[in-house]
Amino acid sequence: MAHDVRMLPTREADLFESSRPRLEAIAYRLLGSASDAEDAVQETYLRWQAADREYVQTPEAWLTKVLTNFCLNQLTTARARRETYVGQWLPEPVLAGASMLGPSDTVEQRESVSIAMLTLMERLTAKERVVYVLREAFGYPHHEIAELLDITEANCQQIYRRAKQHLAVERARIEVDGAAARRIVEEFLAAAVSGRTEELVRLLTDDATIIGDGGAFFASLNRPLVGAERIATFVRLAIKPTGAKWEKLGGKPTPFAAIVNGRPALILVAHDRIVGVVVLEVTADGIAAVHAHVNPDKLAFANRQWATYAPGAPLPDLW
């Protein structure tokens, strides 16, 4: 998306641009959509452009408040849209390197952009989500969050505790680098196409889940599938290289490994476009969740990244 900052004086334009990565990172965690996050930041820019900046004492706080209020409104309408969404809804995947995945200095910050956590955050009210994100991922003190939301500090602390309870994660996640991600994804793909469900069951936790988001474009699972055996059977049938599903996605894809939202991911590419992203939530006990994205509308941002991405060599063609 092009960002027009030419109409602002240089100082104000530079100030906004220096804030853009942080604003994008906040918006993505709040909305679970890279494209909506970009729109929210652009709307914030337009309001910054129109503001009487002489009366803005702390630009960072002003921009954060405007962005947060816009996202609060978006969350309310997004919830209504998702009630009519075809199939299951997943957050938009983002490949490593995007500024909206930052900051990533702490485990909590990295966890806050995982597909699993962004999906869990759908359980929260809009206000709970804002408080949790600003406190957990960005370290805002409670009194500043309270001021942004026009609530008391005590109320802010109470909302944060409630959000933490809703998002309690029992299993410790494993963090991986590029080499480890490739090894994990290659092993998963080999097991998936082996024709033997026991190979895949071995990689999954007993209570693993799979969620598929194809939207109206691609028929997927109507609800999460739970259990290693059931998932292995489904994946073995779904990943066969023949059938109408591959034709709809542009033919048999070329597989790549990447890190998406901080997790190992299988990237399926046809005609130089990403047609599928399968993110693996890996724990010390095995793969605890598989998140499959094939809705092209929600792969638009990832495809913009892919155009300048350096993915390395494709995975072996195991089909």
Side-chain angles (χ1 to χ4, degrees):
M1 177 181 292
H3 306 302
D4 182 8
V5 296
R6 290 171 299 175
M7 297 179 67
L8 282 176
T10 302
R11 179 179 174 278
E12 281 81 359
D14 289 347
L15 192 153
F16 184 87
E17 286 306 301
S18 68
S19 297
R20 186 184 291 277
R22 179 180 59 84
L23 296 174
E24 286 183 345
I26 293 172
Y28 177 61
R29 285 166 170 84
L30 292 180
L31 302 175
S33 164
S35 52
D36 286 351
E38 288 184 316
D39 290 344
V41 173
Q42 187 63 13
E43 180 64 28
T44 303
Y45 163 72
L46 293 174
R47 297 184 187 187
W48 173 245
Q49 188 182 56
D52 188 345
R53 289 179 295 280
E54 278 188 32
Y55 296 96
V56 177
Q57 294 182 341
T58 311
E60 180 180 321
W62 189 94
L63 292 170
T64 304
K65 187 179 181 76
V66 170
L67 177 86
T68 299
N69 285 333
F70 183 78
C71 288
L72 278 169
N73 292 333
Q74 290 296 99
L75 282 169
T76 302
T77 57
R79 182 153 296 183
R81 287 200 310 270
R82 284 166 199 167
E83 288 177 0
T84 59
Y85 188 78
V86 177
Q88 300 175 100
W89 182 91
L90 283 173
E92 286 184 18
V94 177
L95 279 66
S99 59
M100 65 179 60
L101 293 180
S104 57
D105 299 326
T106 68
V107 172
E108 290 78 14
Q109 288 171 336
R110 294 189 291 274
E111 180 69 23
S112 67
V113 287
S114 72
I115 295 295
M117 181 58 74
L118 289 170
T119 304
L120 273 178
M121 281 199 275
E122 290 294 304
R123 300 177 180 179
L124 304 180
T125 66
K127 194 166 285 187
E128 284 173 345
R129 189 161 181 166
V130 169
V131 170
Y132 179 83
V133 164
L134 292 179
R135 178 64 180 163
E136 193 79 357
F138 295 89
Y140 277 73
H142 283 293
H143 71 271
E144 287 188 18
I145 301 173
E147 191 172 331
L148 288 172
L149 295 176
D150 296 321
I151 58 178
T152 66
E153 185 173 348
N155 191 11
C156 183
Q157 292 171 333
Q158 184 181 40
I159 291 171
Y160 176 67
R161 284 194 297 270
R162 195 162 60 233
K164 288 272 284 186
Q165 290 170 356
H166 287 314
L167 300 177
V169 178
E170 296 177 2
R171 282 198 183 95
R173 309 304 183 195
I174 292 178
E175 297 185 36
V176 298
D177 58 14
R182 184 179 177 90
R183 176 182 54 77
I184 291 167
V185 172
E186 190 169 345
E187 189 176 13
F188 173 82
L189 181 61
V193 302
S194 68
R196 299 187 301 276
T197 56
E198 62 270 17
E199 294 291 323
L200 197 50
V201 168
R202 180 177 58 83
L203 300 179
L204 299 165
T205 62
D206 291 341
D207 60 347
T209 61
I210 184 170
I211 299 176
D213 182 344
F217 172 79
F218 196 89
S220 188
L221 295 164
N222 290 325
R223 61 182 63 86
L225 199 60
V226 181
E229 291 278 357
R230 296 177 70 195
I231 292 172
T233 300
F234 171 80
V235 169
R236 182 173 61 82
L237 295 172
I239 210 162
K240 283 183 176 180
T242 57
K245 63 179 179 298
W246 293 126
E247 293 175 17
K248 192 167 187 179
L249 291 174
K252 191 183 79 170
T254 302
F256 290 86
I259 295 179
V260 172
N261 291 76
R263 302 295 190 258
L266 170 64
I267 308 290
L268 301 174
V269 176
H271 305 297
D272 298 322
R273 286 189 61 79
I274 295 175
V275 295
V277 176
V278 181
V279 183
L280 306 176
E281 193 71 24
V282 183
T283 72
D285 301 320
I287 298 171
V290 179
H291 298 114
H293 310 253
V294 289
N295 182 349
D297 292 339
K298 295 169 73 172
L299 295 176
F301 184 83
N303 265 305
R304 294 211 308 275
Q305 287 185 280
W306 191 255
T308 58
Y309 201 69
L315 294 170
D317 189 348
L318 300 173
W319 277 291

